[in-house]
Amino acid sequence: MDVPLSWQLAKLLVSIGMVLGLGAIAVRVSPRVAGLLAGYPLGTAIALFFIGLELSPTFAAESAVHTLAGFTATLALGGGYLLCGRRDGLPGVLAGTAGGLAAFLATSLLLTQVEFTRLGGTLTTLVAIVAFLRLYRRVPDARVAARGTVAWPALVLRGLLAAAIIFTITGLAHVLPAAWAGVMAAFPVTMYPFLVILHLTHGAAPVATVIKHYPAGLGSLLAYALCVSLTYDTLGLVLGTLSGFLVATLWLLGWTRLQAWRAARLTAST
């Protein structure tokens, strides 16, 4: 079907806005917080919503089932980027991108061969989260030194790259089966451009910190995808999306409270 220009403009503006907000958090707060928020349903929500708008809520709901497992491919992308992108500057970005995309595509190819249910997809990613958290235990945390001015060319590039990814995913959904559309919707639309610009401007160390904490934030993405897979058919796109964001926010609030409680206990014990 022909996609109205207004929908295309909406995708562009929302994608750019999401990425710019994430970049501001990284500089003003910390890469750790940005890594957690990178797991919030930003790019995935945009992709699934517009897939449902341009195709059908039923197709988007079916895709969301495969998105649950597709987050394992996203974790693989982070691992590939971390492994290959250890150098600072453009060489590190190019090597990290090549390694990350190769890991994402290889994992996606495996995942699309499986007929996942909601339970199977969720359990697959939960196992992957635990595995990657253990792998990242020795990755050191690094802070970004805040700068007095905003690098607008970098911000614009970051937003445009995210928008290009969104347009690619939603465009491919018109020609791919639901399994592939769902896995592609799990691509880290907001995190990847953020990693590229952060890598170029601050080096590999803070990028490693964002990737290290990304798995911990994936719980909200899982909650979102699970919710919309159940509600898009019954409640429609708008109410289903709002329900997904509510569930994801509750999970993220609960997770941060748990982390604060654990940190307080560790401090008290020392």
Side-chain angles (χ1 to χ4, degrees), residues 15-58:
S15 303
I16 292 174
M18 293 289 191
V19 176
L20 298 190
L22 189 63
I25 289 172
V27 173
R28 297 180 183 277
V29 184
S30 74
R32 179 183 181 277
V33 176
L36 289 172
L37 289 180
Y40 196 69
L42 303 177
T44 296
I46 300 170
L48 288 175
F49 180 85
F50 280 100
I51 287 173
L53 193 63
E54 295 173 11
L55 296 171
S56 73
T58 300

Side-chain angles (χ1 to χ4, degrees), residues 121-147:
T122 302
L123 290 177
T124 298
T125 295
L126 286 176
V127 170
I129 288 173
V130 173
F132 276 94
L133 284 174
R134 291 182 64 87
L135 288 172
Y136 293 158
R137 283 180 301 172
R138 298 186 183 276
V139 176
D141 285 333
R143 291 188 63 87
V144 173
R147 295 180 175 178

Side-chain angles (χ1 to χ4, degrees), residues 72-84:
T72 299
T74 301
L75 290 169
L77 184 148
Y81 194 106
L82 180 64
L83 185 64
C84 299

Side-chain angles (χ1 to χ4, degrees), residues 178-203:
W180 267 105
V183 173
M184 292 298 293
F187 189 90
V189 172
T190 54
M191 186 183 76
Y192 171 70
F194 167 60
L195 290 180
V196 170
I197 304 301
L198 187 66
H199 200 154
L200 288 172
T201 56
H202 296 281

Side-chain angles (χ1 to χ4, degrees), residues 108-231:
S108 297
L109 184 60
L110 293 175
L111 293 174
T112 52
Q113 306 306 307
V114 181
E115 289 293 332
F116 283 105
T117 63
R118 292 181 180 88
L119 179 60
T122 302
L123 290 177
T124 298
T125 295
L126 286 176
V127 170
I129 288 173
V130 173
F132 276 94
L133 284 174
R134 291 182 64 87
L135 288 172
Y136 293 158
R137 283 180 301 172
R138 298 186 183 276
V139 176
D141 285 333
R143 291 188 63 87
V144 173
R147 295 180 175 178
T149 59
V150 178
W152 286 108
L155 293 178
V156 172
L157 174 61
R158 188 185 308 167
L160 291 176
L161 183 54
I165 296 171
I166 285 288
F167 275 79
T168 300
I169 292 172
T170 54
L172 288 174
H174 288 262
V175 296
L176 292 175
W180 267 105
V183 173
M184 292 298 293
F187 189 90
V189 172
T190 54
M191 186 183 76
Y192 171 70
F194 167 60
L195 290 180
V196 170
I197 304 301
L198 187 66
H199 200 154
L200 288 172
T201 56
H202 296 281
V207 169
T209 300
V210 172
I211 293 173
K212 172 184 177 179
H213 294 284
Y214 180 73
L218 265 181
S220 61
L221 264 171
L222 281 170
Y224 180 87
L226 183 60
C227 183
V228 298
S229 74
L230 293 166
T231 58

